[in-house]
Amino acid sequence: MKLLRWSRISAKDILKELNLTDPPFDPFRIAELMGVSVKNNLDLDKISNDGMIYLNEKGEPEIWINPIQPPKRQIFTLAHELGHLVYHVLPDIDKFKDPIQDDYSTLYRNGARSTQETLANRFAANLLMPVGAMNDFIDKLFEKAGGKRNLTRRNVIDALTGSFNVSKDAIIIRLKRLGAIPQDYEYDDESKQKME
């Protein structure tokens, strides 16, 4: 199976291998380049989930994304499911071929919290919002604005949201995890605070 080459490869290395350097990092295009089948048809049996990964009738991994979710939610969900593919499905593909051993519920994006979900979320963040690309973008943004003091955190968040095509919440969480903004930062409470 050609997909096995992507087993346990970091998001950074996937972007490098696919020669993707500039935002936005479209997971639908990334999946296509990786050779991953993605479906987003309306399926009432799956509708309670944002997305899921499973083996199709050929025994190959396939990802389903809920088409009624907002577009940016679909983007993050697909990146998340690609994380499951890389870290959980491909390294142990035989387990997923055996219905007795398999528990697909661990790979549904439905709000559950687990180590696997945390790893898939981190993969998604690294795929959609790579640190190097974010730093380059912010440096150029500051340069255009004539320095950090001329932009608020909100200005930077809005610019990142537009260029990386992810939700404001995804950008804020990413910036908090990277230590770029305080953990207690609230977008709606910002009163012209300049970047530090």
Side-chain angles (χ1 to χ4, degrees):
M1 176 186 307
K2 290 181 182 180
L3 284 176
L4 289 176
R5 72 182 281 231
W6 302 109
S7 179
R8 293 193 174 103
I9 294 182
S10 70
K12 180 180 179 179
D13 288 340
I14 288 172
L15 293 173
K16 184 178 178 182
E17 178 107 7
L18 298 175
N19 199 30
L20 300 172
T21 57
D22 298 316
F25 299 94
D26 178 3
F28 288 91
R29 177 73 176 133
I30 292 167
E32 179 184 335
L33 293 171
M34 290 173 67
V36 179
S37 176
V38 177
K39 306 289 183 195
N40 65 345
N41 57 310
L42 187 59
D43 185 332
L44 297 178
D45 291 334
K46 300 173 186 169
I47 208 76
S48 63
N49 297 290
D50 288 351
M52 63 178 59
I53 188 165
Y54 52 88
L55 298 183
N56 64 21
E57 61 282 347
K58 296 178 185 174
E60 297 171 346
E62 188 169 277
I63 297 173
W64 176 82
I65 301 300
N66 189 333
I68 65 171
Q69 292 295 325
K72 289 184 179 178
R73 181 73 176 178
Q74 291 180 45
I75 286 168
F76 196 87
T77 296
L78 178 53
H80 173 97
E81 294 302 329
L82 288 171
H84 280 310
L85 174 74
V86 167
Y87 290 122
H88 306 124
V89 175
L90 293 177
D92 203 6
I93 193 75
D94 291 333
K95 172 186 171 190
F96 292 94
K97 289 180 181 178
D98 182 349
I100 294 171
Q101 293 183 45
D102 178 47
D103 178 10
Y104 287 128
S105 65
T106 61
L107 301 180
Y108 292 172
R109 184 149 195 256
N110 60 9
R113 298 276 183 239
S114 70
T115 304
Q116 287 183 327
E117 292 304 304
T118 299
L119 185 58
N121 280 338
R122 285 186 185 148
F123 178 91
N126 288 328
L127 189 71
L128 299 173
M129 301 167 279
V131 174
M134 287 180 72
N135 285 338
D136 290 346
F137 179 85
I138 291 170
D139 287 347
K140 289 175 188 169
L141 188 64
F142 287 154
E143 188 178 310
K144 274 185 181 177
K148 291 180 182 181
R149 300 204 183 282
N150 297 324
L151 293 171
T152 64
R153 289 182 185 129
R154 184 180 226 162
N155 297 142
V156 173
I157 289 165
D158 290 343
L160 285 166
T161 297
S163 289
F164 284 76
N165 196 29
V166 294
S167 71
K168 174 183 60 166
D169 289 339
I171 288 290
I172 290 171
I173 291 168
R174 183 73 165 148
L175 291 173
K176 285 180 178 182
R177 292 227 167 101
L178 293 172
I181 60 175
Q183 293 299 310
D184 62 351
Y185 173 80
E186 295 289 333
Y187 181 87
D188 294 331
D189 293 340
E190 183 175 307
S191 58
K192 304 233 179 204
Q193 297 175 3
K194 302 294 181 194
M195 288 297 291
E196 298 164 2

